[in-house]
Amino acid sequence: MSRVSPQIEESWKELLLEEFNKPYFSQLKQFLVEEKKRHIIYPPGPLIFNAFNQTPFDKVKVVILGQDPYHGPGQAHGLCFSVQDGVQPPPSLQNIFKEINSDLGTPVPQSGNLTRWAKQGVFLLNAILTVRARSPKSHQGKGWETFTDAVIRKISEEKSGVVFLLWGRDARNKTSLIDGSKHLVLEAPHPSPYSADYGFFGCRHFSKANNYLIQLGEEPIVW
């Protein structure tokens, strides 16, 4: 049980205590306990809340929304789009790196591990925080979306001047949770090979995010 209890950074724990105490979250924990008896679940228990642990609430400057974790061995480590060192960057991440390269001229990194972004205040949140091995979206509708919607709403309400990068239909559906009058919301198609050519390439979200942060007197992100 302890492996799915929130191992989560203190500022987030305080902010989200209400959510952790709601019935849906207890049901979600019970679902995960049962799942783990029969299936391999990604990411490993201690990494489920990795995005929160790498980027404390007061450090959040940019939010990138993903869907659910990678479902292959050794890939997912609790940061959306990111893979662990030594793992080949998946196609969507390769396309993100291509866009950064054309937008900012920075070289394409060798590693797909985005922890370096998280440490700078890029909150890499998946809408669904766990998945059954080799079974994408297998933990859809189990409660994670309720939780992560509450997280997005809290960031919107309690902070100002955050950049939200919403890529793809699922992420763009979250605009109603964000107060666009005090945050920058940037939308584009998903960076997947199926949709990147329809407006993700050329969106220049990385320079736009940095320009906005600079205007607010914040340090830009080293993408």
Side-chain angles (χ1 to χ4, degrees), residues 155-176:
I155 295 171
S156 175
E157 288 166 2
E158 311 244 341
K159 293 179 80 78
S160 61
V162 174
V163 183
F164 289 83
L165 303 184
L166 309 181
W167 302 330
R169 193 186 60 226
D170 289 355
R172 294 167 93 164
N173 285 341
K174 307 291 184 184
T175 49
S176 60

Side-chain angles (χ1 to χ4, degrees), residues 12-203:
W12 286 110
K13 187 174 275 188
E14 205 173 303
L15 192 76
L16 299 168
L17 200 56
E18 204 181 310
E19 295 304 310
F20 294 138
N21 290 326
K22 287 180 179 175
Y24 84 85
F25 203 84
S26 300
Q27 289 160 11
L28 171 60
K29 286 204 293 192
Q30 197 49 47
F31 164 75
L32 290 173
V33 168
E34 294 304 315
E35 272 284 277
K36 285 176 72 174
K37 288 176 184 171
R38 293 189 296 276
H39 304 284
I40 295 169
I41 303 303
Y42 298 129
L47 293 176
I48 290 172
F49 291 102
N50 195 25
F52 300 82
N53 296 334
Q54 297 290 348
T55 314
F57 181 70
D58 64 331
K59 297 281 193 285
V60 173
K61 298 201 282 195
V62 178
V63 177
I64 297 180
L65 284 182
Q67 293 169 354
D68 69 337
Y70 296 122
H71 52 89
Q75 292 181 304
H77 64 135
L79 305 176
C80 74
F81 292 106
S82 180
V83 287
Q84 303 193 53
D85 286 319
V87 176
Q88 175 71 17
S92 291
L93 183 53
Q94 290 179 30
N95 286 341
I96 290 169
F97 287 158
K98 277 184 198 164
E99 176 57 23
I100 292 170
N101 173 252
S102 75
D103 185 7
L104 299 169
T106 50
V108 172
Q110 296 301 303
S111 173
N113 189 332
L114 303 181
T115 303
R116 61 195 175 81
W117 292 3
K119 296 281 191 201
Q120 297 178 74
V122 182
F123 185 49
L124 296 163
L125 180 68
N126 275 315
I128 303 162
L129 296 188
T130 55
V131 70
R132 189 186 297 173
R134 295 177 190 80
S135 187
K137 294 206 171 173
S138 47
H139 289 181
Q140 196 169 28
K142 304 297 183 185
W144 279 130
E145 297 93 332
T146 306
F147 175 71
T148 53
D149 279 2
V151 171
I152 296 163
R153 211 178 283 113
K154 284 276 189 196
I155 295 171
S156 175
E157 288 166 2
E158 311 244 341
K159 293 179 80 78
S160 61
V162 174
V163 183
F164 289 83
L165 303 184
L166 309 181
W167 302 330
R169 193 186 60 226
D170 289 355
R172 294 167 93 164
N173 285 341
K174 307 291 184 184
T175 49
S176 60
L177 306 172
I178 303 162
D179 181 349
S181 70
K182 60 173 186 161
H183 300 287
L184 177 63
V185 180
L186 298 174
E187 300 180 49
H190 196 274
S192 136
Y194 301 107
S195 52
D197 285 328
Y198 297 98
F200 178 77
F201 289 138
C203 70

Side-chain angles (χ1 to χ4, degrees), residues 194-213:
Y194 301 107
S195 52
D197 285 328
Y198 297 98
F200 178 77
F201 289 138
C203 70
R204 308 205 62 188
H205 280 185
F206 305 96
S207 59
K208 287 174 184 173
N210 276 354
N211 290 340
Y212 180 76
L213 293 172

